[in-house]
Structure formats: structure tokens, C-alpha cells
Amino acid sequence: MYTIDLNSDLGEGFGAYTIGSDGDILKHVTSANIACGFHAGDPVVMNKTVALAAGNGVAMGAHPGLPDLVGFGRRTMAVTPEEAYAMVVYQVGALAAFAKTQGRSLQHVKPHGALYNMAVKDAALAAAVARAVHDIDSNLILFGLAGSQLIVQGEKMGLQTASEVFADRTYQPDGSLTPRSRADAMVTDENIAISRVLRMITEGVVRAQNGEDIPVRADTVCVHGDGAKALAFACKIHSVLSEQGVTVTSFR
């Protein structure tokens, strides 16, 4: 009766630094958002992560972010729509090239961190991101927060969009994610995460931090790959969803 994609942000190590358990997480998710070198990742890591995703039969997408390696792309920057367009084209193009060398192609694009959250509410920025994706390949799916400007502008651009919900993040009454600067931003209990995910998929609602149920559309569920419990979350969520009769699969 229900079908959902399960995605994770991966390929976020660089140089001598390893972040997350990509090889293990890829056994449980259906789509991988691969860092493209601005907020995390490097050419070698990008190439290896494409190979890992392909080897596990996981659909892959680009995860472009702001040029802020020290801040992991999670610090707001004053970028213009023109700059955002160029950043997205640059990063998606790089990952698409790695995919092509391995006989693969990208399924989607999902902005990362601050770029994602800025484009949630900034229509001009979201439109620039959507235009970049469209100009690269109009068959790419644009992932964006459910109910956000990313979804609105992606649809205006004629793109297929996927409304994203989060297993490991809490929500504000307006449907935005609770800022990471707050102590209550993350969901760390696996059982609570699973309960929330099931409600988002089957009821179309999530409990906001003020106790109110707010509507959401769930096409794809994210588990952040850098989280301390990322592997446990991905494994258990996939398992429980399957047990509950929810088909977990990528879009293509």
C-alpha cells in the first residue's frame, strides 16, 4: 500500500579523514546523496562512493553544498542565486562525470546543509538550484524538504521532485527542521525515530516540537550518514518498514 525511498548523505570523508560507515549503511538504504567536494568529500572519496553505491545497487545522487569544509557546509553564507546556480552546476557535473566513468548515471540532486535550509524558504535561491538541476539534466529528481520552496520551484521548473522527511531530526510548527544549534534538534532514540517515520508515511503527519501534528508528504526518508547512530537507524528503519508492509525502494 505504501512505498518509500530511504536515503542517506554519504561520501563525506576527505583526505585522511573518514566520516560515517558508508559501506555498511549502503546495505540498508535505497538512495545515496554523495558529497561533491565543497562541504565534504574529495575526488578519490567521490569515486569510491560511486563504486560502493553501484556495487550495492543503490541509486545515487549529488549532494552539493556551500564551500565551507571547516563548517561542514552547515553555516549560512550570503550567496546570490547566480552563485548558487554555478555551485550546483559545478558539483553535480563533477559527480556525474565520476558516475559516467563507471557506466552509471545520477538519479537525483539533494542540496546539503545550509544551502538546503536556505533554499527551503528563499524562493529565488530555490529557483536557482532548480534551474541548475534542470539545465544539467531535466530527468534528474530534485530532493527537497516537504512543503518547501525547493519543491515548489522544482515543480515550476518542470522537474520531478521528491518530498523529503527526516528520521533523525525534529520539526518546527512551520514544517522547518529544528536548527542544529538547539539541544532538541536531533532524534536519537531508534524507536521514537521509527514511530515518527511510520506516521509520516502512513498518516502524512509529524509531531512538531510544540506538540502539534503538522502535515508532511513523505516520498523519501533521510538518515544522516554522519550521525552516531546512522547505521542502526538505517538498518532498523528499513527492517521495520518492510515488516509493516511498506515497500522500500529507490525511484528508478
Side-chain angles (χ1 to χ4, degrees), residues 51-175:
L52 279 172
N56 282 276
V58 173
M60 62 190 77
H63 198 35
L66 296 175
D68 181 20
L69 192 62
V70 172
F72 201 64
R74 287 177 176 159
R75 299 184 294 189
T76 300
M77 295 176 65
V79 299
T80 66
E82 180 183 17
E83 289 171 327
Y85 174 90
M87 290 176 189
V88 172
V89 170
Y90 185 97
Q91 294 176 80
V92 176
L95 189 70
F98 281 116
K100 184 176 181 180
T101 64
Q102 299 188 38
R104 303 285 173 164
S105 60
L106 301 184
Q107 168 192 251
H108 67 277
V109 175
K110 173 189 167 181
H112 165 82
L115 179 60
Y116 183 101
N117 288 318
M118 290 158 61
V120 161
K121 297 182 179 180
D122 188 325
L125 197 63
V129 171
R131 182 165 60 88
V133 174
H134 179 274
D135 289 354
I136 295 166
D137 182 353
S138 61
N139 290 314
L140 288 168
I141 303 168
L142 179 60
F143 282 23
L145 184 69
S148 72
Q149 282 295 323
L150 278 168
I151 299 300
V152 172
Q153 299 302 324
E155 291 177 349
K156 284 185 178 180
M157 195 62 60
L159 294 169
Q160 180 181 349
T161 61
S163 293
E164 183 177 40
V165 297
F166 289 80
D168 51 12
R169 295 293 302 275
T170 62
Y171 284 77
Q172 291 302 294
D174 65 354

